[in-house]
Amino acid sequence: MRTTVKVLLVTLLIGIPAFLLAPTAPLGPAIWPAPAPLMPAPTPGQVTLLMVFGALEAAALGLGVAFVILGWPLVRRAAAPDRGRAMAMYLSTAWLLVNWWLHDGLHMVSGMNPRGLVWIEWGFHGTLIVAGAALAYCFARTDWEGSSRRVR
């Protein structure tokens, strides 16, 4: 089976249930506490936009799981021979994809609770900053090493 088909299959097998299990989705109450009320209530257009974004987050979760399952060989080849850099790229990319579904769900159920917001800020926002910085460093390192090998 082609890698593209495998990625699509894993994305759908994870993404569809994730979409249905979001806090405000039909099956969400099975695993989430009741979402914090939105004040004022969203308009029908806003509800649609939020639902579409929820679908994107669920798809990102599925794509992230597909990346975790299938992406290591690609990252390993791209970052060779530095295994540490490859692992940083792999974990950072995976986290940048998989975190959104849980991250958004926690925002929905915590509302404006300062304690919950502190945990979300540090646990998600902080680690996303670290993941982005790690990827930037890895790409810069790759460029620096490549330019030092070029003939001038």
Side-chain angles (χ1 to χ4, degrees):
M1 187 181 321
R2 290 179 47 128
T3 302
T4 307
V5 174
K6 291 177 187 175
V7 168
L8 182 60
L9 184 62
V10 172
T11 300
L12 292 173
L13 286 173
I14 300 296
I16 291 171
F19 180 73
L20 295 172
L21 288 166
T24 56
L27 303 176
I31 63 170
W32 293 96
L38 294 175
M39 297 306 242
T43 66
Q46 291 168 332
V47 168
T48 300
L49 290 172
L50 290 169
M51 186 181 301
V52 168
F53 201 76
L56 290 173
E57 290 173 332
L61 174 63
L63 184 60
V65 170
F67 180 79
V68 167
I69 294 169
L70 304 166
W72 175 247
L74 173 67
V75 175
R76 186 72 183 110
R77 281 193 306 272
D82 189 336
R83 186 171 175 84
R85 191 179 324 151
M87 185 60 70
M89 293 171 75
Y90 176 73
L91 294 174
S92 295
T93 302
W95 184 240
L96 287 167
L97 287 168
V98 303
N99 91 88
W100 298 106
W101 181 82
L102 180 59
H103 178 179
D104 195 42
L106 289 173
H107 268 301
M108 282 187 211
V109 300
S110 74
M112 296 307 292
N113 171 356
R115 182 175 181 200
L117 289 174
V118 165
W119 283 106
I120 291 168
E121 289 296 314
W122 283 95
F124 288 95
H125 299 201
T127 57
L128 290 168
I129 292 167
V130 170
L135 282 172
Y137 173 77
C138 290
F139 284 117
R141 225 12 237 276
T142 301
D143 183 59
W144 297 330
E145 289 170 359
S147 61
S148 70
R149 285 186 284 227
R150 291 188 196 119
V151 177
R152 297 189 175 166

